[in-house]
């Protein structure tokens, strides 16, 4: 069983930056991909960024392209989400997840393991 622990969330002014970390125990690579999702109050959980553990180009939601960067440090067993130029619409609980074999962001229910989430609040 994979356990994921997010950190790095907090409150920031619009235009600021945060770096989220997701440290994993267990095998985080078996599904082939890792992703960050976010869920705002009253909204569906949506994919933010995805990275393939075997390499290749990451995938980003249109809303964060050019602002967010997902990266993976296999030595530290940690996936990161660097968030720049934050805006109030980015306010959400952010979750990291490991795949059970499905490597798309359109269906969160198909992802196998989830962290507890970390709150990101962007004020205007």
């Amino acid at each position: 069983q994979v356990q994921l622990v997010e950190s790095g969330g907090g409150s920031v002014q619009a235009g600021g930056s945060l770096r989220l970390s997701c440290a994993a125990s267990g095998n985080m690579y078996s599904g082939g991909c890792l992703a960050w999702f976010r869920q705002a109050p009253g909204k569906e959980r949506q994919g933010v960024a995805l990275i393939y553990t075997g390499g290749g180009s990451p995938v980003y939601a249109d809303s964060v392209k050019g602002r967010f960067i997902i990266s993976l440090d296999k030595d530290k067993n940690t996936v990161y989400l660097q968030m720049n130029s934050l805006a109030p619409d980015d306010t959400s609980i952010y979750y990291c997840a490991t795949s059970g074999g499905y490597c798309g962001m359109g269906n969160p229910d198909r992802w196998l393991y989830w962290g507890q989430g970390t709150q990101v609040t962007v004020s205007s």
Side-chain angles (χ1 to χ4, degrees):
Q1 183 176 350
V2 177
Q3 295 185 10
L4 305 170
V5 179
E6 299 101 334
S7 61
S11 297
V12 66
Q13 295 271 4
S17 297
L18 286 172
R19 188 191 192 196
L20 306 183
S21 299
C22 175
S25 61
N27 187 357
M28 64 185 296
Y29 310 112
S30 62
C33 47
L34 304 161
W36 288 93
F37 295 80
R38 66 186 183 186
Q39 187 169 19
K43 305 293 288 292
E44 296 290 328
R45 187 170 298 190
Q46 296 183 324
V48 176
L50 179 147
I51 191 167
Y52 297 95
T53 58
S57 298
V59 179
Y60 297 96
D62 288 342
S63 59
V64 307
K65 284 181 179 178
R67 300 190 296 123
F68 291 10
I69 301 171
I70 187 171
S71 61
L72 175 64
D73 188 337
K74 290 188 175 181
D75 289 338
K76 297 181 178 180
N77 219 34
T78 300
V79 61
Y80 302 95
L81 185 67
Q82 177 67 46
M83 305 185 295
N84 301 315
S85 301
L86 285 163
D89 284 349
D90 296 316
T91 296
S92 288
I93 301 175
Y94 284 73
Y95 302 88
C96 63
T98 63
S99 174
Y102 173 76
C103 286
M105 294 191 292
N107 295 96
D109 289 345
R110 297 182 65 177
W111 288 71
L112 190 61
Y113 297 109
W114 295 84
Q116 81 287 349
T118 185
Q119 177 71 47
V120 171
T121 301
V122 184
S123 61
S124 59

